[in-house]
Amino acid sequence: MDILQTATATMEAPRIRHILSVDVEDYFQVEAFVNEIPRRTWGDWPSRVVENTRKFLNLFERHGVKGTFFFLGWVANRFPSLVREVQAHGHELACHSYWHRRVCSLSPSEFREDVRISKDAIEQAAGVPVHGYRAPSWSINKNSLWALDILAEEGFRYDSSIYPIRHDLYGIPDAPRFACVYHCRNGGELTEIPPPTVRIAGFNFPAAGGGYFRIFPFLFTEWVFQIFEQRYRKPVVTYFHPWEVDPEQPRIPAGLKSSFRHYTNIGIVETRLSLLLQKYLFQPIATALATGKLDSAEMGRTPNTILLDMVSAKSCPPVAHAVFPAVHGERTKG
């Protein structure tokens, strides 16, 4: 009887609109190649970000969906017409830093400067305010939570930078797994919108975005969407990158793990994403917040489990790249 009642309630409940987001950066600007391509040489590499971003615009147009585009300030500064083109298609503009440097490697003053120039580059290109931020490589961790205070001070309304998993490059495994309000030390508030995770055997596993979308079987992604729709009743926060739909991009010599993470299955992302867009409903983050579709009532009651006493200005130590996340001390072999 309980099973039948749950099934009936699920069928009668309104369909969930998931979150569609794109981190607009070029293939040579990713963390995987930071040792091979210094930032001072970015201008020497042939850019492919415009044509690749247009692939997303065309795909979204065919399916009648809108999303949030987190622009790298460097890209917005070099290609302001691309920013305007994304806006003209009705998508939300948000910030992905300027130089794609990990937040936990910066001082608070360096982070504030990076945020200001990247936000300004996007706003100058499009003529609209930017309210959302996503850190490169999910790099707001327990040692860099001070960044949330700075984001609130700089006029941001939401952040999507904290991955509630254990990983050698990023993550706060005990952070809230769904959208919640972060109460800053300076009295401000910031809505934190984490990427999706599912609980398996008591651990958080990442899903439905970036390398996890490419490398994990598509059946796993579909299972994740079913879990979010039927059990969690919350939206999946998907995320993609323009270079992930570009199998013809120049190949950069790098270590085996970095190459595996970057190049695996980049030729099938468009097909997989098209299947998702056919089956599920999507919307930008700003729309979800404005319409209260990120569980705003529950967010007001959710305690802030990211303790303020974890905040410090220390930079995170250098770490090695990994193919898959290390969950609770267990590193993936290979």
Side-chain angles (χ1 to χ4, degrees), residues 39-323:
R39 290 174 177 82
R40 65 178 181 275
T41 68
W42 279 3
D44 300 333
W45 288 81
S47 178
R48 301 172 68 87
V49 70
V50 173
E51 57 188 283
N52 289 332
T53 301
R54 285 174 176 163
K55 291 180 182 179
F56 279 100
L57 292 178
N58 293 333
L59 181 62
F60 294 173
E61 183 84 11
R62 289 198 301 270
H63 292 278
V65 297
K66 307 298 181 186
T68 299
F69 284 68
F70 290 88
F71 265 87
L72 208 63
W74 190 94
V75 173
N77 193 43
R78 290 294 185 98
F79 307 104
S81 60
L82 179 63
V83 181
R84 292 190 288 271
E85 187 174 349
V86 170
Q87 182 200 16
H89 278 76
H91 302 289
E92 178 193 7
L93 301 176
C95 179
H96 192 43
S97 84
Y98 193 92
W99 287 107
H100 207 271
R101 294 180 296 178
R102 297 171 67 215
V103 174
C104 56
S105 71
L106 304 175
S107 68
S109 60
E110 289 172 331
F111 174 71
R112 188 186 296 274
E113 178 63 18
D114 185 272
V115 164
R116 285 180 174 176
I117 62 175
S118 55
K119 187 174 187 286
D120 182 68
I122 301 166
E123 292 179 341
Q124 289 296 324
V128 296
V130 168
H131 300 299
Y133 180 85
R134 176 174 288 161
S137 306
W138 314 105
S139 54
I140 294 182
N141 59 22
K142 288 183 178 180
N143 291 328
S144 54
L145 287 173
W146 46 260
L148 299 181
D149 294 352
I150 294 176
L151 290 175
E153 292 169 358
E154 294 299 323
F156 288 90
R157 297 177 182 173
Y158 71 85
D159 173 68
S160 180
S161 303
I162 298 177
Y163 220 136
I165 61 172
R166 189 177 299 277
H167 190 282
D168 65 345
L169 284 176
Y170 52 77
I172 304 179
D174 55 346
R177 295 178 52 232
F178 306 106
C180 66
V181 173
Y182 182 89
H183 300 282
C184 302
R185 293 181 301 172
N186 53 23
E189 290 185 348
L190 201 68
T191 300
E192 183 61 40
I193 304 170
T197 57
V198 289
R199 295 283 288 177
I200 302 176
F203 301 136
N204 295 345
F205 282 80
Y212 306 117
F213 180 76
R214 290 183 286 110
I215 297 172
F216 291 165
F218 188 64
L219 285 176
F220 175 73
T221 298
E222 289 196 297
W223 175 76
V224 169
F225 271 79
Q226 292 174 11
I227 292 295
F228 269 74
E229 288 200 341
Q230 298 174 16
R231 182 184 302 175
Y232 301 154
R233 297 298 299 164
K234 300 179 187 294
V236 176
V237 182
T238 65
Y239 61 95
F240 308 95
H241 308 85
W243 50 265
E244 290 183 295
V245 293
D246 183 15
E248 304 302 321
Q249 64 187 268
R251 296 279 168 151
I252 298 172
L256 179 61
K257 290 181 179 180
S258 293
S259 296
F260 180 82
R261 291 174 58 200
H262 186 85
Y263 295 116
T264 298
N265 289 338
I266 58 176
I268 65 174
V269 170
E270 277 191 272
T271 300
R272 286 187 172 186
L273 180 52
S274 183
L275 292 174
L276 282 184
L277 298 180
Q278 291 176 33
K279 190 170 184 179
Y280 303 100
L281 302 178
F282 292 90
Q283 63 184 338
I285 293 175
T287 303
L289 288 173
T291 56
K293 297 302 182 182
L294 277 173
D295 293 287
S296 57
E298 181 176 326
M299 286 195 299
R301 301 193 304 270
T302 302
N304 182 13
T305 59
I306 307 175
L307 302 180
L308 291 179
D309 60 8
M310 295 176 180
V311 180
S312 83
K314 296 180 180 178
S315 296
C316 55
V319 290
H321 292 286
V323 178

Side-chain angles (χ1 to χ4, degrees), residues 15-30:
R15 291 190 65 188
I16 291 177
R17 286 190 175 272
H18 302 281
I19 300 299
L20 194 60
S21 69
V22 180
D23 295 350
V24 185
E25 61 192 40
D26 226 323
Y27 65 96
F28 52 82
Q29 298 172 321
V30 301

